[in-house]
Amino acid sequence: MAFAFAAAIGAKAQTEVTAPQNVYARQTTLLNGEWNYFVDLQEQGYYDYRMNPTRWGYFINAKMKNPSDLVEYDFDASPTLHVPGDWNTQSEELFLYEGTIWMKRDFDYEPRAGRRALLYFGAVNYEAIVYVNGKKAGRHVGGFTPFCYDVTDLVKGGKNFVIVKIDNKRHKDNVPTLIFDWWNYGGITRDVLLVDVPETYVEDYWLGLDKEVTGKKRILNFSLKLNKPVADQEVTLSIPELKIKQRFTTNAEGEIANCQLSVVSSKLQLWCPETPKLYDVELEMGNEVIKDEIGFRTIETRGKQLLLNGKPIFLKGVCSHEETAYTSRRCNCAEDADTLLSWARSLGCNFIRLAHYPHNEHAVREAERQGFLLWSEIPVYWTISWQNEETYANAERQLKDMIRRDHNRAAIIIWSLANETPHSDARDKFLGRLATTARSQDNTRLISMAMEVTGASNYVNRLQDNMNQYVDVVSFNQYIGWYRDVNDAPKMKWEIPYEKPVIISEFGGGAKAGYHGDKGQRWTEEFQENLYRENLAMLEKIEGLAGTCPWVLKDFRSPRRPLPGIQDGFNRKGLFSDQGKRKKAFYVLRDWYKSK
Ligand code: GCB
């Protein structure tokens, strides 16, 4: 089993630490709630009038002390935004805003001997520069993964304040790049926590089921890593329901490496969509107890088959953005996920492609409790700056952080590295490196990426992609019936010359809920319904088809979809409208999934 002991790529600010595994099980204080904010269009709170970073930036939280003082901002007199939350849907004037916003929150802190204070952000989109009591804690880029600072030396007893400069401007070299088909929600979009840990604490752990079945026994693989190389620390792992209580001791690196626990097969209930069994797991080190719920399952391929717990499975999937039902804002909690999951459930799904970036941890855990298999992806989307080493480091860091956060989630079976990337040597090199990294971080899951079929002259679609050597599952998006004539569907032949399972990671077309007409009339529910019928009939014939993920569960906001009266700023390829109305295609897919 691979364990991600390597430090994240890229220069770390002095205070940056690895975000602790299962942060919600630690001693934490939520720093969510109302944060004062103001917009800084010209970033004058950061740069002076010669465009040099200034020491007197807004992060010092200056206050007038004398009547003659000049201070041109005041956090405490400024309006507030709720955290977690995107700013776009909290203020009308921020709906289209892409730029810098400063946010501040006060908090109380009482130092205790032998304890450290970590400041954890679930995600900030896109760049965050974090200051505590006027001092910089660090800078982070990437909008969908957690990051954490050790702020013990920055906090003091009593009143403290944290200020974050958040910038969601798009840039060519970012991941994702300048263009993408979803809303660029800015802000502190996930939880902020102050985490109270001992000097030496469990930074990460890994517990999962081994693929090998030996006689009547199964093996659980267990590894653990402390935040520093402290030897001889005793850690007790308990899984009461399996009558496991075992003590381990850390080595000189502060690790418990590749330990194995044996369980009687008949006593172990495997996690699967029908019975998503999770076991209570406890890790005890000194006074610190970390509780988790962990499912045990295996995932592998055999030829063109996908095997869950050793048995072939067909993935009845759907793609979903992390955008709420009804209100169309960024999701950030289990309740937000619940509605979307119930919609996927009503379709008969057992699988969700979390597009196109890692979704929040609550959503992943909720999906796991409810028995959904998951595909989790990093936003290497369309045209990334393949030649830029910094862009690579950024993508790799997002990949590692995605894997690290969720490597104990049985629900996740596929790590996806990219979506619809244009072929070139530079791209192949970039994605090849990412694939090797993904494998080194986690060799217990499958790797894939949403590819494209090349050319369809004479109605022959051939999937030819150098990336196939790296993936376990061949996945591709196709839009026959939307970006190509629906009448072509019955004529299409598919050539996928790889001995690997095939997932159709996207197909679909738009319809405005409630708009009816002929099946040849674009945007009607009938058009979309017919498109689904034709596509399912066509896809069914693909040899080795192991799953389908139509695009998409619900209509979602996108700046690329302006058509008045129809799109109005929404990508309308949802099977549900943004208001939860089922479109006719919903029933076509539901019936097909019933037959699977
Ligand atoms: C795609 C993209 C997805 C888009 C979709 C569309 O191929 O992967 O992000 O939203 O097509 O609607 O065109």
Side-chain angles (χ1 to χ4, degrees):
M1 175 173 40
F3 196 90
F5 282 151
I9 282 255
K12 280 186 172 183
Q14 237 180 330
T15 59
E16 183 163 14
V17 293
T18 299
Q21 175 65 218
N22 190 10
V23 72
Y24 294 101
R26 314 290 177 129
Q27 290 187 39
T28 58
T29 311
L30 266 184
L31 296 187
N32 291 348
E34 298 305 307
W35 287 50
N36 295 97
Y37 82 98
F38 49 86
V39 171
D40 187 6
L41 266 176
Q42 300 196 356
E43 303 194 302
Q44 63 179 16
Y46 190 77
Y47 296 109
D48 64 17
Y49 78 129
R50 300 289 185 237
M51 273 303 279
N52 295 312
T54 168
R55 282 198 294 145
W56 310 109
Y58 291 160
F59 46 86
I60 64 170
N61 190 25
K63 295 279 170 201
M64 267 181 72
K65 290 199 185 88
N66 301 303
S68 63
D69 283 353
L70 176 63
V71 182
E72 294 183 275
Y73 66 97
D74 184 352
F75 275 103
D76 296 315
S78 299
T80 62
L81 285 169
H82 190 80
V83 170
D86 65 77
W87 63 51
N88 312 74
T89 59
Q90 295 194 56
S91 148
E92 246 171 67
E93 64 186 31
L94 296 180
F95 185 63
L96 286 170
Y97 186 63
E98 294 184 309
T100 283
I101 283 186
W102 293 84
M103 293 179 71
K104 181 196 85 122
R105 190 199 197 276
D106 296 326
F107 63 96
D108 291 320
Y109 179 72
E110 280 321 314
R112 282 196 290 149
R115 308 293 295 186
R116 302 205 71 84
L118 311 183
L119 183 58
Y120 172 96
F121 291 83
V124 175
N125 191 39
Y126 174 85
E127 182 202 61
I129 306 182
V130 177
Y131 304 87
V132 174
N133 295 330
K135 299 226 171 57
K136 185 172 168 182
R139 169 180 178 269
H140 179 265
V141 297
F144 305 98
T145 36
F147 56 97
C148 195
Y149 302 111
D150 184 330
V151 296
T152 315
D153 297 336
L154 302 181
V155 286
K156 54 185 184 355
K159 290 242 166 296
N160 294 264
F161 63 90
V162 51
I163 288 178
V164 188
K165 174 185 183 292
I166 305 144
D167 184 358
N168 73 333
K169 282 194 289 297
R170 288 164 294 115
H171 292 284
K172 177 167 85 40
D173 295 335
N174 285 0
V175 183
T177 180
L178 284 166
I179 53 169
F180 44 90
D181 191 17
W182 67 83
W183 206 260
N184 186 22
Y185 291 114
I188 305 178
T189 51
R190 295 184 189 163
D191 296 329
V192 183
L193 303 164
L194 196 60
V195 192
D196 177 61
V197 288
E199 288 289 338
T200 305
Y201 59 92
V202 175
E203 181 180 277
D204 202 357
Y205 56 89
W206 185 309
L207 181 65
L209 180 65
D210 203 280
K211 284 192 189 80
E212 296 307 316
V213 186
T214 33
K216 295 201 163 102
K217 297 265 172 177
R218 295 300 299 256
I219 299 292
L220 303 182
N221 291 312
F222 172 60
S223 299
L224 179 145
K225 181 184 185 298
L226 302 178
N227 62 316
K228 47 184 171 182
V230 179
D232 302 323
Q233 286 283 319
E234 285 189 355
V235 179
T236 306
L237 166 72
S238 324
I239 313 176
E241 229 184 306
L242 292 174
K243 300 202 166 44
I244 288 174
K245 186 164 187 161
Q246 201 162 320
R247 202 181 317 150
F248 299 91
T249 310
T250 58
N251 61 19
E253 282 80 46
E255 297 169 9
I256 296 166
N258 303 324
C259 290
Q260 301 203 315
L261 298 127
S262 165
V263 275
V264 179
S265 289
S266 59
K267 294 267 180 324
L268 185 69
Q269 196 183 344
L270 300 182
W271 185 98
C272 64
E274 298 74 34
T275 50
K277 170 70 185 169
L278 297 175
Y279 286 92
D280 287 335
V281 172
E282 269 187 35
L283 285 169
E284 198 180 332
M285 188 178 92
N287 297 328
E288 195 191 19
V289 180
I290 302 170
K291 295 184 178 179
D292 208 340
E293 294 180 320
I294 296 186
F296 301 111
R297 58 102 190 94
T298 61
I299 187 76
E300 57 202 316
T301 64
R302 183 172 62 204
K304 285 185 176 260
Q305 279 184 328
L306 199 58
L307 306 179
L308 179 72
N309 297 327
K311 287 184 237 122
I313 181 163
F314 185 82
L315 301 177
K316 302 185 236 183
V318 70
C319 297
S320 180
H321 267 293
E322 191 189 42
E323 189 182 272
T324 55
Y326 307 113
T327 43
S328 293
R329 52 166 176 76
R330 260 280 169 265
C331 301
N332 54 51
C333 59
E335 293 71 42
D336 289 345
D338 268 339
T339 314
L340 298 174
L341 294 172
S342 72
W343 291 0
R345 168 80 61 219
S346 68
L347 267 167
C349 294
N350 61 10
F351 178 60
I352 300 175
R353 176 179 175 212
L354 303 175
H356 280 296
Y357 38 78
H359 290 205
N360 69 81
E361 188 170 347
H362 302 295
V364 170
R365 284 182 178 266
E366 193 60 21
E368 179 168 84
R369 274 182 217 115
Q370 297 190 23
F372 287 96
L373 295 154
L374 299 174
W375 158 310
S376 187
E377 183 164 301
I378 49 169
V380 174
Y381 183 94
W382 293 352
T383 53
I384 294 293
S385 296
W386 308 110
Q387 315 249 30
N388 185 323
E389 195 50 38
E390 244 181 77
T391 303
Y392 177 78
N394 178 348
E396 186 179 275
R397 166 115 199 233
Q398 293 193 44
L399 174 73
K400 285 181 167 176
D401 289 347
M402 168 176 79
I403 295 176
R404 187 187 295 112
R405 194 195 72 184
D406 286 344
H407 63 209
N408 288 316
R409 302 281 70 80
I412 297 184
I413 52 170
I414 295 171
W415 299 124
S416 168
L417 308 178
N419 180 75
E420 292 185 352
T421 52
H423 295 208
S424 74
D425 289 346
R427 169 268 203 182
D428 285 3
K429 199 168 151 234
F430 189 109
L431 294 181
R433 282 170 81 189
L434 276 187
T436 309
T437 303
R439 199 73 75 191
S440 75
Q441 302 296 293
D442 181 4
N443 61 8
T444 70
R445 286 181 178 77
L446 308 175
I447 290 174
S448 198
M449 59 184 88
M451 301 186 236
E452 293 171 298
V453 268
T454 41
S457 55
N458 305 325
Y459 301 103
V460 178
N461 286 281
R462 196 175 163 78
L463 184 67
Q464 201 103 53
D465 194 313
N466 295 333
M467 291 303 93
N468 280 299
Q469 60 176 302
Y470 295 107
V471 298
D472 302 296
V473 176
V474 174
S475 312
F476 62 91
N477 304 345
Q478 66 81 19
Y479 279 92
I480 289 162
W482 190 253
Y483 297 122
R484 186 172 174 156
D485 188 357
V486 76
N487 296 311
D488 287 349
K491 300 176 210 158
M492 286 296 179
K493 290 210 169 39
W494 296 87
E495 284 183 11
I496 298 145
Y498 307 101
E499 259 305 287
K500 295 180 182 182
V502 179
I503 296 180
I504 312 302
S505 33
E506 283 177 33
F507 71 92
K512 166 119 173 135
Y515 181 44
H516 294 285
D518 185 74
K519 68 176 188 196
Q521 194 179 340
R522 206 174 278 266
W523 304 114
T524 62
E525 290 195 30
E526 287 72 17
F527 187 100
Q528 190 194 36
E529 179 188 37
N530 183 53
L531 181 153
Y532 266 72
R533 281 220 175 86
E534 294 292 343
N535 267 270
L536 294 174
M538 172 186 73
L539 297 175
E540 201 148 36
K541 290 185 222 138
I542 294 179
E543 203 208 330
L545 186 70
T548 47
C549 278
W551 189 258
V552 56
L553 181 63
K554 97 162 178 93
D555 293 354
F556 61 94
R557 291 192 206 274
S558 167
R560 301 172 69 84
R561 310 292 173 178
L563 185 64
I566 300 281
Q567 294 177 313
D568 300 313
F570 280 83
N571 183 315
R572 293 285 179 206
K573 297 191 186 71
L575 290 156
F576 286 82
S577 76
D578 52 294
Q579 294 307 311
K581 191 171 175 308
R582 294 173 179 186
K583 303 180 195 173
K584 285 184 140 189
F586 166 94
Y587 299 97
V588 178
L589 184 69
R590 187 191 63 179
D591 291 350
W592 193 70
Y593 278 163
K594 256 190 210 155
S595 75
K596 285 271 145 200

